[in-house]
Amino acid sequence: MTEEAAAPLWEVFIRSKRGLSHNHVGSLHAPDAEMALRNARDVYTRRMEGVSIWVVPSATITASSPDEKDSFFDPAADKPYRHPTFYSIPKEVQQL
Amino acid sequence: MVAGAAAVSTLRIADDCLVLSHRLAQWSSWAPTLEDDIALTNIALDLLGQARAMYARTAELDGTGRSEDDYAFMRDERAFVNCLLVEQENGDFATTILRQLLCSTYQLAQWQALTTSTDGQVAAIAAKAVKETEYHRDHATDWTLRLGDGTDESHQRMESALAALWPFTAELFESDDVSRDAAGLGVGPDPEDLRAAWDAYITRVLDDATLVVPKVSWKPTGGRQGLHTEAFGYMLAEMQHLHRSFPGVTW
Amino acid sequence: MRSNGPIERDLAGSAVSGGDAGGAVGDAREAEFQALIEADQRIEPRDWMPDAYRKTLIRQIAQHAHSEIIGMQPEGNWITRAPSLRRKAILMAKVQDEAGHGLYLYCAAETLGVDRSELIDLLHQGRQKYSSIFNYPTLTYADVGAIGWLVDGAAITNQIPLCRCSFGPYARAMVRVCKEESFHQRQGFELLYALSHGTPEQHEMAQDAVNRWWWPSLEMLGPPDTESTHSAQSMAWGIKRFSNDELRQRFVDMVAPQAVVLDLVPPDPALRWNEERGHYDFGPCDFEELRRVVSGDGPCNRQRAAHHLKAHEDGAWVRAAAAAYAAKHAASAAA
């Protein structure tokens, strides 16, 4: 067995404090999920960086392809009406 | 009543932590993976912090006002009162992991008991140490399962480690006048009382790891009275030489 | 269409990697890549990139990662002899950080389609290098201070611009590294300061360490611009932001006034402030020595390599056991 197959890559996500979402912080190698979690704790939270950790096998992530970024993401570009700044509001309305 | 029983009992804990921390620190840059290098150092740093806190408390209890460095660097072997198990050499990764399992399970039970110490400062140190030591035990447990139930070679190495280290576990639970007096004062637990919880946990983990406790008649002891194994002298010589070469200076 | 596969990874040969796309499609991709670089945007692992860019990055990031890992040895040499418990804790935490930094960097390299184990094999075969500086011995405890002040100082000079490197994962790893490194140089300075303001023997120990580490620290920033083979292309690609000589000047400008505060004298009679240039002048580095050390004939090259190889080989059975256990339990979970 190659070392890579023996200890595959895991992606690590950390919630830095309650109320925030988990953010991707990096990756590491581990033979199984338990070790991945333990390693993530040691490697990525030495300075109190987190209150919760997710580990995900890198191979199980399905990602959008950069080649299709036009068809994937450009359609959102011509829909400014999704953003609040699209709408003009009379000055006398202070908060909306 | 033994004079200064409370101080001797805190010193024993401090010495256990310092010596075990030093042994683990010797792994730096030698671990099987980078991830484990980081993990072992984390544990070593926790233990060093626990040792420093307990030396500070000991200095108050024994009234000498010594500094943590006086305790660590200016005492000779005969004055160290750590148990023999913590000073055993690292050997291979299996030996270190097994030593960690045996020590951290003991230390966790000890710190848990100390959280209700009548000595408020000791209780506060213990409250923090419990959390750290729970992690140390988890770490050692995980690895014990993997090595015991991994490959033939890793199983073999764990069995050898058990044969080498098991005899030293008897000493952990010995009571003497100091420990009984300290327990009487409510400062700390009598080691004898930690045995049941330790046995239950260790038996279960070793069983899960497909490992069998060896039958041994040899029960070395003496650490609590300053009678150590030969390897300990070399460890201290290395640890203390620089500090002692420049007496009284600030680093 | 979506592509399955490791996040931020595309093994060479898949559709989006490999520089030689050929024809009009290739030109368009090359142009898009160049436009991103020129707009100071980051390149991400799944973007198309020229093969040479990928290779350069793998070489550089791996070399950087190896340096962190081999760099654990010279300082780790003093962990068991640190003269106070406070210094012992600091040194352990620092050496541990180096392991962490090596790990972040190996992960950044892995986004380019290589495995850490391959990179470690290349290190063992001598086909990838690490920083020349770690081939010098740490002979006294003051060397720990000199490494923190000078070596980490030089490293930070080099690393801060790398936080803006054009390759996203490398830049992000460097942000993390730089954040954590901020205590490394300070602890070195503090240690040297304590020694140089201690007893005469301690002062002498500190001065001796600075004498030995000064020139290697200047040299570790690389050969002079006139001889640097990779610099021009790396600058054009936004991998490198400043030339070796610029970094060296920046480093000397930073540490020369600090030496005065430390009451230690750098071993360079030519070192003096040049009002006209607004920089410190300094004497010539011995780049012949740098070449010798890089090519394998430094005082500790063989020792460092043998140490790393032994640790790796001694750990093989542990890694095999962990993998066997995982496989066994994955199988029983599936059953």
Side-chain angles (χ1 to χ4, degrees):
Chain A
M1 185 155 44
T2 65
E3 297 240 349
E4 182 57 19
L9 204 61
W10 300 72
E11 300 302 325
V12 181
F13 300 80
I14 290 183
R15 184 198 298 287
S16 57
K17 59 179 186 188
R18 290 186 170 279
L20 298 182
S21 54
H22 287 76
N23 275 334
H24 184 239
V25 295
S27 45
L28 47 74
H29 287 273
D32 56 40
E34 258 180 297
M35 290 291 267
L37 206 52
R38 196 171 294 297
N39 289 342
R41 179 262 192 199
D42 283 319
V43 173
Y44 289 106
T45 67
R46 293 199 303 287
R47 288 176 170 80
M48 300 180 296
E49 291 96 333
V51 296
S52 162
I53 303 176
W54 289 347
V55 291
V56 180
S58 307
T60 62
I61 288 179
T62 305
S64 65
S65 156
D67 272 11
E68 289 160 316
K69 64 173 178 271
D70 293 354
S71 56
F72 237 64
F73 300 114
D74 283 2
D78 66 350
K79 297 180 181 63
Y81 45 79
R82 290 198 208 275
H83 301 278
T85 47
F86 179 75
Y87 304 92
S88 55
I89 302 291
K91 275 197 185 61
E92 42 287 23
V93 180
Q94 300 279 325
Q95 268 186 324
L96 189 74
Chain B
M1 202 68 176
V2 179
V8 177
S9 75
T10 52
L11 185 61
R12 287 175 175 180
I13 296 168
D15 283 349
D16 281 356
C17 293
L18 178 70
V19 173
L20 189 57
S21 167
H22 189 91
R23 285 296 187 207
L24 289 175
Q26 291 173 329
W27 271 100
S28 179
S29 80
W30 288 105
T33 66
L34 273 180
E35 286 84 350
D36 295 308
D37 217 297
I38 294 169
L40 291 176
T41 307
N42 264 350
I43 297 170
L45 281 169
D46 285 346
L47 288 163
L48 184 54
Q50 294 169 6
R52 295 174 73 182
M54 290 303 266
Y55 284 134
R57 184 59 189 144
T58 303
E60 291 168 355
L61 290 172
D62 70 12
T64 58
R66 279 180 282 180
S67 71
E68 59 181 26
D69 288 342
D70 291 336
Y71 287 106
F73 298 102
M74 299 306 288
R75 288 180 301 152
D76 291 327
E77 282 162 83
R78 291 287 282 106
F80 273 81
V81 288
N82 54 280
C83 62
L84 300 178
L85 182 60
V86 292
E87 72 196 41
Q88 295 308 301
E89 288 179 284
N90 286 336
D92 61 6
F93 191 68
T95 309
T96 290
I97 287 300
L98 186 73
R99 191 186 59 202
Q100 271 311 104
L101 179 74
L102 303 174
C103 289
S104 62
T105 304
Y106 175 74
Q107 288 175 316
L108 180 58
Q110 191 173 51
W111 286 126
Q112 280 166 338
L114 286 167
T115 57
T116 57
S117 172
T118 52
D119 184 318
Q121 289 191 48
V122 170
I125 296 166
K128 178 168 182 285
V130 162
K131 293 182 207 156
E132 295 168 345
T133 313
E134 272 171 357
Y135 176 77
H136 304 172
R137 192 184 66 167
D138 281 357
H139 176 268
T141 302
D142 260 14
W143 267 118
T144 300
L145 296 177
R146 281 163 178 75
L147 298 181
D149 191 17
T151 59
D152 289 346
E153 180 180 1
S154 69
H155 181 87
Q156 199 57 53
R157 285 174 181 267
M158 282 302 274
E159 295 219 310
S160 304
L162 258 177
L165 295 180
W166 193 260
F168 294 100
T169 59
E171 187 197 19
L172 299 177
F173 307 102
E174 283 175 0
S175 294
D176 60 7
D177 290 344
V178 169
S179 69
R180 276 186 292 269
D181 284 354
L185 294 166
V187 173
D190 196 355
E192 224 169 53
D193 299 336
L194 304 175
R195 174 113 228 177
W198 186 90
D199 268 342
Y201 188 84
I202 295 290
T203 308
R204 183 165 62 75
V205 173
L206 292 182
D207 195 49
D208 287 351
T210 72
L211 293 165
V212 181
V213 174
K215 296 242 179 305
V216 287
S217 53
W218 183 48
K219 291 182 172 135
T221 182
R224 301 300 186 199
Q225 282 74 47
L227 299 164
H228 294 278
T229 51
E230 287 183 347
F232 184 56
Y234 290 89
M235 194 203 103
L236 279 194
E238 183 178 332
M239 186 174 93
Q240 296 180 335
H241 104 270
L242 179 57
H243 183 93
R244 291 191 180 209
S245 300
F246 296 84
V249 307
T250 305
W251 292 98
Chain C
M1 280 283 287
R2 291 174 299 177
S3 61
N4 278 301
I7 189 168
E8 298 199 336
R9 294 189 71 184
D10 271 292
L11 297 172
S14 74
V16 293
S17 74
D20 190 18
V25 180
D27 291 345
R29 285 176 155 166
E30 179 101 48
E32 194 177 337
F33 172 83
Q34 269 309 329
L36 282 172
I37 298 272
E38 275 152 32
D40 209 14
Q41 293 273 321
R42 298 286 173 271
I43 304 297
E44 293 298 337
R46 295 169 58 81
D47 291 334
W48 183 90
M49 63 186 81
D51 270 344
Y53 177 84
R54 181 186 300 272
K55 281 188 186 136
T56 299
L57 275 167
I58 290 175
R59 197 196 65 241
Q60 184 175 333
I61 300 173
Q63 176 168 327
H64 199 158
H66 298 328
S67 300
E68 298 280 356
I69 300 311
I70 299 292
M72 295 169 72
Q73 293 181 33
E75 287 184 277
N77 186 35
W78 282 93
I79 286 179
T80 54
R81 293 177 289 170
S84 72
L85 295 186
R86 176 173 174 270
R87 290 289 173 201
K88 186 173 170 137
I90 292 170
L91 187 54
M92 280 161 68
K94 194 199 161 198
V95 174
Q96 184 193 38
D97 270 352
E98 315 290 357
H101 298 170
L103 197 144
Y104 306 154
L105 287 161
Y106 281 128
C107 291
E110 287 185 299
T111 66
L112 290 160
V114 286
D115 291 335
R116 192 201 298 181
S117 55
E118 290 172 48
L119 299 177
I120 288 174
D121 286 346
L122 290 169
L123 172 68
H124 290 159
Q125 293 158 16
R127 289 165 60 201
Q128 283 182 343
K129 308 269 183 219
Y130 54 87
S131 178
S132 58
I133 196 78
F134 300 118
N135 291 313
Y136 293 89
T138 48
L139 302 178
T140 73
Y141 183 67
D143 290 25
V144 172
I147 289 180
W149 178 47
L150 293 172
V151 176
D152 293 330
I156 290 169
T157 309
N158 184 37
Q159 285 169 354
I160 286 177
L162 284 172
C163 296
R164 295 189 293 123
C165 159
S166 64
F167 185 57
Y170 192 21
R172 289 192 288 275
M174 291 319 301
V175 169
R176 207 178 167 89
V177 168
C178 285
K179 213 154 88 186
E180 298 189 353
E181 288 252 346
S182 55
F183 101 79
H184 294 185
Q185 204 197 0
R186 285 178 84 107
Q187 66 84 31
F189 185 90
E190 188 212 60
L191 200 170
L192 279 185
Y193 190 90
L195 295 183
S196 66
H197 292 76
T199 64
E201 289 88 351
Q202 285 178 304
H203 187 281
E204 193 186 324
M205 191 192 265
Q207 180 65 55
D208 170 60
V210 169
N211 290 348
R212 285 181 287 110
W213 289 93
W214 178 266
W215 287 112
S217 300
L218 263 67
E219 289 154 16
M220 75 179 266
L221 289 162
D225 295 350
T226 47
E227 294 170 33
S228 180
T229 42
H230 304 298
S231 275
Q233 181 60 75
S234 286
M235 304 250 306
W237 276 333
I239 296 173
K240 209 169 155 60
R241 300 277 173 175
F242 300 98
S243 76
N244 295 348
D245 287 335
E246 284 170 335
L247 291 171
R248 212 170 347 259
Q249 180 69 61
R250 203 176 261 226
F251 172 61
V252 172
D253 288 347
M254 176 178 76
V255 291
Q258 293 170 354
V260 179
V261 181
L262 284 171
D263 188 25
L264 296 170
V265 185
D268 178 1
L271 182 70
R272 69 176 58 85
W273 177 251
N274 182 329
E275 192 65 52
E276 211 171 294
R277 291 201 309 125
H279 290 290
Y280 280 86
D281 289 338
F282 55 98
C285 293
D286 183 354
F287 289 112
E288 201 39 57
E289 169 170 336
L290 175 67
R291 245 186 305 276
R292 223 172 22 246
V293 176
V294 168
S295 65
D297 285 342
C300 299
N301 295 60
R302 286 160 177 78
Q303 176 191 335
R304 303 285 184 244
H307 176 140
H308 193 271
L309 183 63
K310 178 164 169 41
H312 188 72
E313 287 177 346
D314 285 354
W317 70 268
V318 178
R319 297 189 295 272
Y325 178 91
K328 230 184 271 186
H329 287 260
S332 65

